[in-house]
Amino acid sequence: MRRLLVSVSTAALAFTGVFANPASAQRVLGVGDDALVLPQGVVRLRTIGNWTWFNERYGMHTPGRPDGALEPLGIDFSLDTIGVKQFPNLAQLQSGLQLLTGDPNWFATLGNTVVNLRDRVTAYPFLLEAGITKRISIGVQFPYVIAQSSAGFKVNTANQGNLGFNPALAFTSAANQNATMYTQFITAAATLEGSIAFCNANPGGSPSCPALLANQANAQSLIDNSRAFAGGAVGPVGGPFNPTGGVYITSPFVPIVGTDAQLAIEARVQAFKALYTSFLGGGNPITTNGPFASQNRLTVVDAQQILTDPEFGIAAAPLATVSRSHIGDIDIGGKFSVFDSFGRSTEARMSPHGVNFRTAIGVTYRLPTAQIESPDNFIDIGTGRKAKTIEGRWFGDVLLGSHFWESFIVRFNKPFADDQDVRILDLPNEELAPLYRRQRVHRQLGTTFEFETAPRIVVNNYLALSGWYMYRNKKADDYTGTFTIPAAMTGFGDITIDAATLDLETAQTEHRLGGGISFSNLYSVDKGLSKIPFEVQYLHWQTVKGAGGNQPKFFTDQIQLRLYARIFGK
C-alpha cells in the first residue's frame, strides 16, 4: 500500500509541475476541512493516510459496570462459563446428566473463555477536487481501507469446565467400554428377571428363592432402574430403553474424568453392581467401573473446532486474527460558496487580516462500494458501511486579526434502506449466534449528526498550529424481519426470532479531541519562489468521551498531502 501511495503522489507532483503559478488559495490551511471553495479552473489532489486503532469501548448494560464505562473490546466473548445459555442444545444433555447423576442442581459448562481484541483500520483516501465556477467546486473521494482485528483467545483458564469431547466418537476402545457396560447391565437385568420368574413358578426350586421372593419388589425396582440408567448412559441409538441413544454414545460432550458428574455416575455403577451381587452372588455379570469419560478439558483448538465445525451448529470462522483490504464507500459531491468577505486580491488571499467570514454548503452522495463485516466472522471489520447515503454539509470560517482562524463544519448523514445478511442476536452481548440465526433482513442505518471545529494560530506564511474537536451523534439503526426456525434446525425446539433485537445498542454519541500542525508553500509559490504548490498536515485525535454501548475509543493519526494545479482560467 505504501508503494501505491508513493506512486500516486509522484504522478501528482509530475502533473502539477507542468503548470506555473497555480490556483490561488488561502494562507496555511488548518487540519480538517473548511469553507474554501476552489477557484474556477483549479484542481486539488489530496492523498491522506489515516491510522486508527482501538481496544476499548464505552459499554452499556454490562453486568458489574456503570453505563458509559470503558471496557475491553472483547468483553462479550470473555465468558465466565459456556453453557446452555450460549448453546441451548446443551439443555438436553444437561437434563440427561442430571438424571444419571441424581443431582438436579448440576449444570453443564465447557469452561470459561478470555478474548482480547485489538482492532486497527488503515485508510488511504484519495480526493480529487476541481473548481468549476467562482462559487462551485466538485470532488470525488476514493478510499482504500485495510481492516484488521487481532484476537488473543484463551479457554479454561480457571479449569472449571466439566464437559469435554466424547472419546467414544473417536476411539474404538472407548466405544467398546461403553458397549460392554451396556451389555453387562442388560445381561444382569435379564438374569435377575429370569430368576424371579423361575422362583415364582418353583418356590422351592432353589435355596435362594425364598429370599428372592421376599425381596421381589426391590429386585424388580433394581431391574427397572438399572435398565433406565444403562440406556440413558450407554444405550445404543434406537435401543429399547433410550430410543435416542445414551449420553456416552451420542453426545459430542461427556463429563470429564474426576469431575463431580463423572464420579457420581461411577458411584451409581458401583451401587448397581453391589445390588446385583446381593441377588445373583457370583453370577453377577457386571464388572465395569463405568462409562468412558472425557480425558481433557477443552483447549483453544477444541473451542475453535466448536465454532467452525457445522456439526456443532455455529459454523463460523475461528476467533483468530482476521484482515481484509478493499475499497471503502466512494463519495461524490459538490460545494457552493454562499458568502466570502475575504476578497480575491493577491494580498487578501495570501495575507488576510481583520475580521472576515466565509461560508459554504455542500452535498455528498455515497456509493455502497465497501465490504461490510462477514456474518460468519464474529470479530470481522468491514471497510465501510456499504450503504447508499446522502450527506448535507455546512462550512464556516472566521478570521480575527491576521493570526487566529477557526473553522466550523456541520454534517448530516442520511443512509438509504437496504437488505443484508446478518446473524440475529437476542441481546447485543450474546455473540455466538448459531448458523440458523443468519437471515436476510431489512436494514435502515441511523442518521448521523456531526459538529466539527478547528481553531488555529497562523505562526507565519508557512506554518499553523491547530486544535480540533468533533461531536458525533448517531441514531439507532432499524432492522426488520421475523423468522420462525423449526426444531429440526435448532436441535431443541421451534423458535421465532425478530431482527428488531439488532437495533439494541446501535445508537452512538462520541466526543473527539485532537490537534495538529500544517505547513504550506503556497505563499512561496505565489511570490515565484517555488514551483510545486503543496500543503502537508499532521493531525492526531482520540475519543475522549462516548456512550451507546458499542462506541469504540478511537486513536487516530492522520497525514495529509494537498497538491494544487490550474488547468484553465487565470
Side-chain angles (χ1 to χ4, degrees):
M1 198 55 239
R2 290 191 183 94
R3 290 193 296 270
L4 177 59
L5 183 60
V6 170
S7 65
V8 172
S9 301
T10 303
L13 286 169
F15 172 75
T16 55
V18 174
F19 300 92
N21 227 356
S24 57
Q26 72 188 49
R27 178 181 64 170
V28 197
L29 290 172
V31 297
D33 212 341
D34 54 33
L36 174 68
V37 174
L38 292 177
Q40 185 177 17
V42 172
V43 171
R44 177 168 67 185
L45 175 66
R46 293 197 241 179
T47 59
I48 304 173
N50 275 296
W51 296 270
T52 298
W53 67 270
F54 49 101
N55 64 354
E56 293 180 301
R57 70 181 187 191
Y58 296 91
M60 176 183 288
H61 305 317
T62 303
R65 296 175 183 267
D67 287 355
L70 281 173
E71 59 191 26
L73 199 60
I75 191 170
D76 292 340
F77 300 98
S78 296
L79 306 173
D80 293 334
T81 182
I82 309 173
V84 173
K85 181 179 180 180
Q86 291 74 33
F87 294 94
N89 51 2
L90 282 179
Q92 183 177 355
L93 171 62
Q94 179 174 279
S95 60
L97 287 170
Q98 287 174 345
L99 291 174
L100 290 174
T101 60
D103 182 2
N105 296 316
W106 182 88
F107 297 102
T109 175
L110 298 174
N112 72 309
T113 60
V114 178
V115 177
N116 294 310
L117 295 180
R118 180 186 175 94
D119 292 348
R120 179 178 294 274
V121 179
T122 303
Y124 298 102
F126 301 91
L127 297 85
L128 182 63
E129 303 161 279
I132 304 303
T133 70
K134 291 189 298 183
R135 289 181 176 271
I136 298 175
S137 66
I138 60 173
V140 59
Q141 174 177 275
F142 179 92
Y144 189 81
V145 181
I146 303 170
Q148 181 182 75
S149 182
S150 300
F153 186 24
K154 298 179 181 179
V155 177
N156 267 311
T157 58
N159 289 325
Q160 67 174 27
N162 54 29
L163 293 177
F165 281 141
N166 186 354
L169 300 181
F171 300 101
T172 302
S173 58
N176 287 342
Q177 178 172 319
N178 295 337
T180 298
M181 173 183 163
Y182 182 73
T183 299
Q184 290 179 356
F185 266 70
I186 298 305
T187 301
T191 301
L192 182 56
E193 195 171 50
S195 295
I196 294 173
F198 174 80
C199 289
N200 279 320
N202 305 279
S206 171
S208 62
C209 281
L212 178 59
L213 292 176
N215 289 283
Q216 184 172 341
N218 291 333
Q220 190 60 52
S221 176
L222 172 61
I223 292 169
D224 295 339
N225 290 337
S226 64
R227 280 174 171 170
F229 176 80
V234 289
V237 176
F241 309 108
N242 189 11
T244 60
V247 167
Y248 289 78
I249 296 295
T250 60
S251 173
F253 306 110
V254 294
I256 298 169
V257 61
T259 59
D260 290 347
Q262 183 65 21
L263 292 175
I265 290 171
E266 291 173 355
R268 290 199 69 190
V269 169
Q270 296 306 313
F272 280 123
K273 183 191 300 186
L275 288 172
Y276 271 112
T277 298
S278 69
F279 285 107
L280 300 177
N284 180 10
I286 299 178
T287 60
T288 181
N289 291 320
F292 203 103
S294 176
Q295 301 300 297
N296 298 290
R297 288 182 169 85
L298 294 184
T299 65
V300 170
V301 173
D302 298 331
Q304 300 285 31
Q305 181 181 347
I306 293 172
L307 288 173
T308 58
D309 191 335
E311 177 186 350
F312 298 101
I314 297 179
L319 283 179
T321 297
V322 57
S323 299
R324 68 162 70 228
S325 58
H326 194 263
I327 62 173
D329 294 317
I330 295 175
D331 287 351
I332 301 173
K335 201 172 183 181
F336 176 75
S337 176
V338 177
F339 175 79
D340 188 345
S341 70
F342 281 77
R344 294 187 175 274
S345 66
T346 300
E347 181 181 359
R349 284 186 278 103
M350 305 314 299
S351 298
H353 58 277
V355 178
N356 285 281
F357 175 73
R358 68 185 176 198
T359 183
I361 57 175
V363 63
T364 297
Y365 180 73
R366 184 160 296 158
L367 302 175
T369 51
Q371 289 180 337
I372 61 172
E373 59 275 11
S374 169
D376 297 326
N377 191 314
F378 299 127
I379 64 171
D380 189 24
I381 308 174
T383 63
R385 298 195 298 174
K386 195 176 177 58
K388 298 176 183 177
T389 64
I390 188 77
E391 183 172 284
R393 300 174 179 178
W394 173 84
F395 308 84
D397 292 335
V398 175
L399 170 64
L400 301 177
S402 58
H403 292 282
F404 179 78
W405 293 69
E406 185 153 12
S407 297
F408 303 89
I409 305 172
V410 174
R411 302 181 185 90
F412 183 79
N413 183 287
K414 171 65 176 176
F416 293 90
D418 61 4
D419 295 325
Q420 296 291 342
D421 291 329
V422 299
R423 296 202 185 200
I424 300 173
L425 310 176
D426 287 335
L427 292 172
N429 63 344
E430 297 178 1
E431 289 284 357
L432 302 179
L435 182 61
Y436 62 76
R437 286 182 171 268
R438 188 178 69 184
Q439 303 291 336
R440 191 157 189 86
V441 303
H442 190 66
R443 179 184 74 159
Q444 174 64 71
L445 295 176
T447 58
T448 302
F449 170 83
E450 294 177 348
F451 169 77
E452 176 184 332
T453 184
R456 67 182 181 272
I457 298 295
V458 176
V459 178
N460 54 41
N461 290 321
Y462 302 94
L463 190 68
L465 302 176
S466 296
W468 186 84
Y469 167 80
M470 175 187 282
Y471 167 79
R472 179 176 179 271
N473 179 267
K474 176 186 170 295
K475 300 300 182 183
D477 301 335
D478 182 23
Y479 289 86
T480 55
T482 304
F483 309 89
T484 298
I485 314 299
M489 295 184 65
T490 67
F492 58 89
D494 295 351
I495 64 170
T496 298
I497 54 178
D498 189 342
T501 56
L502 296 173
D503 302 350
L504 300 173
E505 297 186 15
T506 56
Q508 296 174 324
T509 300
E510 182 185 12
H511 298 265
R512 301 174 178 178
L513 189 64
I517 185 171
S518 305
F519 173 83
S520 170
N521 78 336
L522 299 185
Y523 181 84
S524 179
V525 170
D526 195 74
K527 296 298 184 182
L529 302 176
S530 299
K531 295 294 185 182
I532 301 175
F534 69 90
E535 296 165 327
V536 178
Q537 301 162 10
Y538 168 76
L539 169 66
H540 171 82
W541 64 264
Q542 64 189 59
T543 306
V544 294
K545 186 177 181 181
N550 199 28
Q551 172 59 59
K553 180 176 177 61
F554 293 114
F555 295 85
T556 294
D557 289 295
Q558 181 190 96
I559 296 177
Q560 183 172 167
L561 172 65
R562 307 185 189 192
L563 304 164
Y564 294 85
R566 179 177 291 281
I567 58 175
F568 65 87
K570 295 183 180 180

Short mmCIF file of all heavy atoms in Angstrom, two decimals, residues 185-225:
data_model
loop_
_atom_site.label_atom_id
_atom_site.label_comp_id
_atom_site.label_asym_id
_atom_site.label_seq_id
_atom_site.Cartn_x
_atom_site.Cartn_y
_atom_site.Cartn_z
N PHE A 185 -25.02 -54.63 31.97
CA PHE A 185 -26.21 -54.21 32.70
C PHE A 185 -27.46 -54.93 32.19
O PHE A 185 -28.30 -55.39 32.98
CB PHE A 185 -26.38 -52.69 32.60
CG PHE A 185 -25.78 -51.93 33.74
CD1 PHE A 185 -24.40 -51.85 33.90
CD2 PHE A 185 -26.58 -51.30 34.67
CE1 PHE A 185 -23.83 -51.16 34.95
CE2 PHE A 185 -26.02 -50.61 35.74
CZ PHE A 185 -24.64 -50.54 35.88
N ILE A 186 -27.59 -55.03 30.87
CA ILE A 186 -28.77 -55.69 30.30
C ILE A 186 -28.76 -57.18 30.63
O ILE A 186 -29.82 -57.78 30.94
CB ILE A 186 -28.83 -55.46 28.78
CG1 ILE A 186 -28.97 -53.96 28.47
CG2 ILE A 186 -29.98 -56.23 28.16
CD1 ILE A 186 -30.15 -53.30 29.18
N THR A 187 -27.58 -57.80 30.62
CA THR A 187 -27.47 -59.22 30.97
C THR A 187 -27.83 -59.46 32.43
O THR A 187 -28.55 -60.41 32.77
CB THR A 187 -26.05 -59.73 30.69
OG1 THR A 187 -25.75 -59.56 29.30
CG2 THR A 187 -25.92 -61.21 31.06
N ALA A 188 -27.35 -58.56 33.31
CA ALA A 188 -27.66 -58.70 34.74
C ALA A 188 -29.16 -58.57 34.97
O ALA A 188 -29.75 -59.34 35.76
CB ALA A 188 -26.89 -57.65 35.54
N ALA A 189 -29.77 -57.60 34.31
CA ALA A 189 -31.21 -57.40 34.47
C ALA A 189 -31.99 -58.61 33.98
O ALA A 189 -32.96 -59.07 34.63
CB ALA A 189 -31.65 -56.14 33.73
N ALA A 190 -31.59 -59.15 32.83
CA ALA A 190 -32.28 -60.32 32.27
C ALA A 190 -32.09 -61.54 33.16
O ALA A 190 -33.02 -62.35 33.35
CB ALA A 190 -31.77 -60.59 30.86
N THR A 191 -30.88 -61.69 33.71
CA THR A 191 -30.60 -62.84 34.59
C THR A 191 -31.47 -62.78 35.84
O THR A 191 -32.07 -63.79 36.26
CB THR A 191 -29.11 -62.86 34.97
OG1 THR A 191 -28.33 -62.95 33.78
CG2 THR A 191 -28.80 -64.04 35.88
N LEU A 192 -31.52 -61.59 36.47
CA LEU A 192 -32.32 -61.45 37.68
C LEU A 192 -33.81 -61.63 37.37
O LEU A 192 -34.56 -62.25 38.14
CB LEU A 192 -32.06 -60.10 38.33
CG LEU A 192 -32.80 -59.81 39.65
CD1 LEU A 192 -32.51 -60.89 40.68
CD2 LEU A 192 -32.43 -58.43 40.18
N GLU A 193 -34.22 -61.12 36.23
CA GLU A 193 -35.62 -61.26 35.83
C GLU A 193 -35.97 -62.73 35.63
O GLU A 193 -37.07 -63.19 36.02
CB GLU A 193 -35.86 -60.45 34.55
CG GLU A 193 -37.32 -60.20 34.22
CD GLU A 193 -37.45 -59.22 33.06
OE1 GLU A 193 -36.78 -59.43 32.01
OE2 GLU A 193 -38.22 -58.24 33.20
N GLY A 194 -35.04 -63.49 35.04
CA GLY A 194 -35.25 -64.93 34.85
C GLY A 194 -35.33 -65.68 36.17
O GLY A 194 -36.14 -66.62 36.33
N SER A 195 -34.51 -65.24 37.13
CA SER A 195 -34.53 -65.89 38.46
C SER A 195 -35.86 -65.65 39.16
O SER A 195 -36.42 -66.56 39.81
CB SER A 195 -33.38 -65.36 39.32
OG SER A 195 -32.14 -65.72 38.77
N ILE A 196 -36.38 -64.43 39.03
CA ILE A 196 -37.67 -64.13 39.65
C ILE A 196 -38.77 -64.98 39.03
O ILE A 196 -39.63 -65.55 39.74
CB ILE A 196 -38.00 -62.63 39.50
CG1 ILE A 196 -37.02 -61.77 40.29
CG2 ILE A 196 -39.43 -62.33 39.91
CD1 ILE A 196 -37.16 -60.28 40.06
N ALA A 197 -38.76 -65.12 37.71
CA ALA A 197 -39.77 -65.93 37.03
C ALA A 197 -39.67 -67.40 37.44
O ALA A 197 -40.69 -68.08 37.67
CB ALA A 197 -39.60 -65.77 35.52
N PHE A 198 -38.44 -67.89 37.56
CA PHE A 198 -38.23 -69.29 37.96
C PHE A 198 -38.76 -69.54 39.37
O PHE A 198 -39.46 -70.53 39.64
CB PHE A 198 -36.75 -69.64 37.87
CG PHE A 198 -36.43 -71.00 38.40
CD1 PHE A 198 -36.65 -72.14 37.63
CD2 PHE A 198 -35.92 -71.16 39.70
CE1 PHE A 198 -36.38 -73.41 38.14
CE2 PHE A 198 -35.66 -72.41 40.20
CZ PHE A 198 -35.87 -73.54 39.43
N CYS A 199 -38.43 -68.62 40.29
CA CYS A 199 -38.83 -68.81 41.68
C CYS A 199 -40.34 -68.67 41.86
O CYS A 199 -40.94 -69.33 42.73
CB CYS A 199 -38.10 -67.83 42.59
SG CYS A 199 -36.33 -68.19 42.78
N ASN A 200 -40.94 -67.78 41.06
CA ASN A 200 -42.40 -67.68 41.13
C ASN A 200 -43.07 -68.97 40.68
O ASN A 200 -44.12 -69.37 41.22
CB ASN A 200 -42.90 -66.51 40.29
CG ASN A 200 -42.79 -65.18 41.01
OD1 ASN A 200 -43.06 -65.12 42.22
ND2 ASN A 200 -42.38 -64.14 40.32
N ALA A 201 -42.46 -69.61 39.68
CA ALA A 201 -43.02 -70.87 39.18
C ALA A 201 -42.63 -72.05 40.05
O ALA A 201 -43.37 -73.03 40.16
CB ALA A 201 -42.56 -71.11 37.73
N ASN A 202 -41.46 -71.98 40.71
CA ASN A 202 -40.94 -73.07 41.52
C ASN A 202 -40.40 -72.49 42.84
O ASN A 202 -39.19 -72.34 43.01
CB ASN A 202 -39.83 -73.82 40.79
CG ASN A 202 -40.27 -74.34 39.43
OD1 ASN A 202 -40.92 -75.39 39.35
ND2 ASN A 202 -39.91 -73.61 38.37
N PRO A 203 -41.26 -72.15 43.79
CA PRO A 203 -40.82 -71.51 45.03
C PRO A 203 -39.76 -72.30 45.78
O PRO A 203 -38.90 -71.71 46.46
CB PRO A 203 -42.10 -71.39 45.86
CG PRO A 203 -43.20 -71.40 44.84
CD PRO A 203 -42.73 -72.29 43.74
N GLY A 204 -39.77 -73.60 45.66
CA GLY A 204 -38.75 -74.40 46.35
C GLY A 204 -37.70 -74.92 45.42
O GLY A 204 -36.92 -75.81 45.80
N GLY A 205 -37.65 -74.42 44.22
CA GLY A 205 -36.73 -74.96 43.23
C GLY A 205 -35.29 -74.60 43.47
O GLY A 205 -34.40 -75.19 42.88
N SER A 206 -35.03 -73.60 44.34
CA SER A 206 -33.65 -73.18 44.60
C SER A 206 -33.58 -72.64 46.02
O SER A 206 -34.53 -72.01 46.52
CB SER A 206 -33.22 -72.09 43.62
OG SER A 206 -31.98 -71.54 44.00
N PRO A 207 -32.43 -72.87 46.71
CA PRO A 207 -32.30 -72.34 48.08
C PRO A 207 -32.42 -70.82 48.16
O PRO A 207 -32.76 -70.27 49.21
CB PRO A 207 -30.89 -72.81 48.49
CG PRO A 207 -30.61 -73.99 47.62
CD PRO A 207 -31.30 -73.72 46.31
N SER A 208 -32.14 -70.13 47.03
CA SER A 208 -32.18 -68.67 47.06
C SER A 208 -33.57 -68.10 46.82
O SER A 208 -33.81 -66.90 46.97
CB SER A 208 -31.21 -68.10 46.01
OG SER A 208 -31.61 -68.50 44.70
N CYS A 209 -34.50 -68.99 46.41
CA CYS A 209 -35.82 -68.48 46.04
C CYS A 209 -36.57 -67.82 47.19
O CYS A 209 -37.18 -66.76 46.99
CB CYS A 209 -36.66 -69.62 45.44
SG CYS A 209 -36.25 -69.98 43.71
N PRO A 210 -36.58 -68.39 48.39
CA PRO A 210 -37.34 -67.72 49.46
C PRO A 210 -36.89 -66.28 49.68
O PRO A 210 -37.71 -65.37 49.83
CB PRO A 210 -37.06 -68.61 50.68
CG PRO A 210 -36.80 -69.95 50.10
CD PRO A 210 -36.05 -69.71 48.82
N ALA A 211 -35.56 -66.06 49.72
CA ALA A 211 -35.05 -64.70 49.95
C ALA A 211 -35.39 -63.79 48.77
O ALA A 211 -35.76 -62.61 48.94
CB ALA A 211 -33.55 -64.74 50.18
N LEU A 212 -35.28 -64.33 47.56
CA LEU A 212 -35.56 -63.52 46.37
C LEU A 212 -37.03 -63.13 46.32
O LEU A 212 -37.37 -61.97 46.04
CB LEU A 212 -35.16 -64.28 45.11
CG LEU A 212 -35.44 -63.59 43.76
CD1 LEU A 212 -34.71 -62.25 43.69
CD2 LEU A 212 -35.02 -64.48 42.59
N LEU A 213 -37.91 -64.11 46.62
CA LEU A 213 -39.33 -63.80 46.57
C LEU A 213 -39.72 -62.82 47.67
O LEU A 213 -40.63 -62.00 47.49
CB LEU A 213 -40.14 -65.09 46.70
CG LEU A 213 -40.03 -66.06 45.51
CD1 LEU A 213 -40.78 -67.36 45.79
CD2 LEU A 213 -40.53 -65.40 44.22
N ALA A 214 -39.02 -62.89 48.81
CA ALA A 214 -39.30 -61.94 49.89
C ALA A 214 -38.90 -60.53 49.51
O ALA A 214 -39.43 -59.55 50.05
CB ALA A 214 -38.57 -62.39 51.16
N ASN A 215 -37.91 -60.38 48.61
CA ASN A 215 -37.43 -59.06 48.17
C ASN A 215 -37.75 -58.82 46.69
O ASN A 215 -37.02 -58.11 45.99
CB ASN A 215 -35.92 -58.95 48.39
CG ASN A 215 -35.54 -58.86 49.85
OD1 ASN A 215 -35.67 -57.80 50.47
ND2 ASN A 215 -35.09 -59.99 50.40
N GLN A 216 -38.82 -59.44 46.24
CA GLN A 216 -39.13 -59.35 44.81
C GLN A 216 -39.37 -57.91 44.36
O GLN A 216 -38.94 -57.52 43.27
CB GLN A 216 -40.36 -60.20 44.50
CG GLN A 216 -40.72 -60.24 43.02
CD GLN A 216 -41.82 -61.24 42.72
OE1 GLN A 216 -42.10 -62.14 43.51
NE2 GLN A 216 -42.45 -61.10 41.57
N ALA A 217 -40.03 -57.10 45.18
CA ALA A 217 -40.30 -55.71 44.80
C ALA A 217 -39.00 -54.93 44.61
O ALA A 217 -38.84 -54.17 43.65
CB ALA A 217 -41.18 -55.04 45.85
N ASN A 218 -38.05 -55.15 45.55
CA ASN A 218 -36.76 -54.46 45.44
C ASN A 218 -35.99 -54.94 44.21
O ASN A 218 -35.31 -54.17 43.53
CB ASN A 218 -35.93 -54.68 46.69
CG ASN A 218 -36.51 -53.95 47.90
OD1 ASN A 218 -37.20 -52.94 47.74
ND2 ASN A 218 -36.24 -54.47 49.10
N ALA A 219 -36.08 -56.25 43.95
CA ALA A 219 -35.38 -56.80 42.78
C ALA A 219 -35.94 -56.22 41.49
O ALA A 219 -35.19 -55.87 40.56
CB ALA A 219 -35.50 -58.32 42.79
N GLN A 220 -37.27 -56.10 41.42
CA GLN A 220 -37.87 -55.55 40.20
C GLN A 220 -37.50 -54.08 40.03
O GLN A 220 -37.27 -53.60 38.91
CB GLN A 220 -39.38 -55.71 40.25
CG GLN A 220 -40.09 -55.37 38.94
CD GLN A 220 -39.62 -56.25 37.79
OE1 GLN A 220 -39.61 -57.48 37.90
NE2 GLN A 220 -39.20 -55.63 36.68
N SER A 221 -37.46 -53.36 41.15
CA SER A 221 -37.05 -51.96 41.08
C SER A 221 -35.62 -51.84 40.58
O SER A 221 -35.30 -50.95 39.78
CB SER A 221 -37.19 -51.32 42.47
OG SER A 221 -36.72 -49.98 42.45
N LEU A 222 -34.74 -52.73 41.05
CA LEU A 222 -33.35 -52.73 40.57
C LEU A 222 -33.29 -52.97 39.07
O LEU A 222 -32.55 -52.30 38.34
CB LEU A 222 -32.55 -53.80 41.33
CG LEU A 222 -31.13 -54.07 40.82
CD1 LEU A 222 -30.27 -52.81 40.91
CD2 LEU A 222 -30.49 -55.23 41.60
N ILE A 223 -34.08 -53.94 38.60
CA ILE A 223 -34.09 -54.23 37.16
C ILE A 223 -34.52 -53.01 36.36
O ILE A 223 -33.86 -52.61 35.38
CB ILE A 223 -35.03 -55.42 36.88
CG1 ILE A 223 -34.45 -56.70 37.47
CG2 ILE A 223 -35.27 -55.58 35.39
CD1 ILE A 223 -35.42 -57.88 37.48
N ASP A 224 -35.61 -52.37 36.77
CA ASP A 224 -36.13 -51.21 36.03
C ASP A 224 -35.15 -50.03 36.07
O ASP A 224 -34.88 -49.39 35.05
CB ASP A 224 -37.48 -50.79 36.61
CG ASP A 224 -38.55 -51.86 36.43
OD1 ASP A 224 -38.38 -52.72 35.54
OD2 ASP A 224 -39.55 -51.82 37.18
N ASN A 225 -34.62 -49.76 37.25
CA ASN A 225 -33.73 -48.60 37.40
C ASN A 225 -32.41 -48.81 36.67
O ASN A 225 -31.87 -47.88 36.07
CB ASN A 225 -33.46 -48.33 38.89
CG ASN A 225 -34.68 -47.80 39.60
OD1 ASN A 225 -35.59 -47.23 38.97
ND2 ASN A 225 -34.73 -47.98 40.92
#
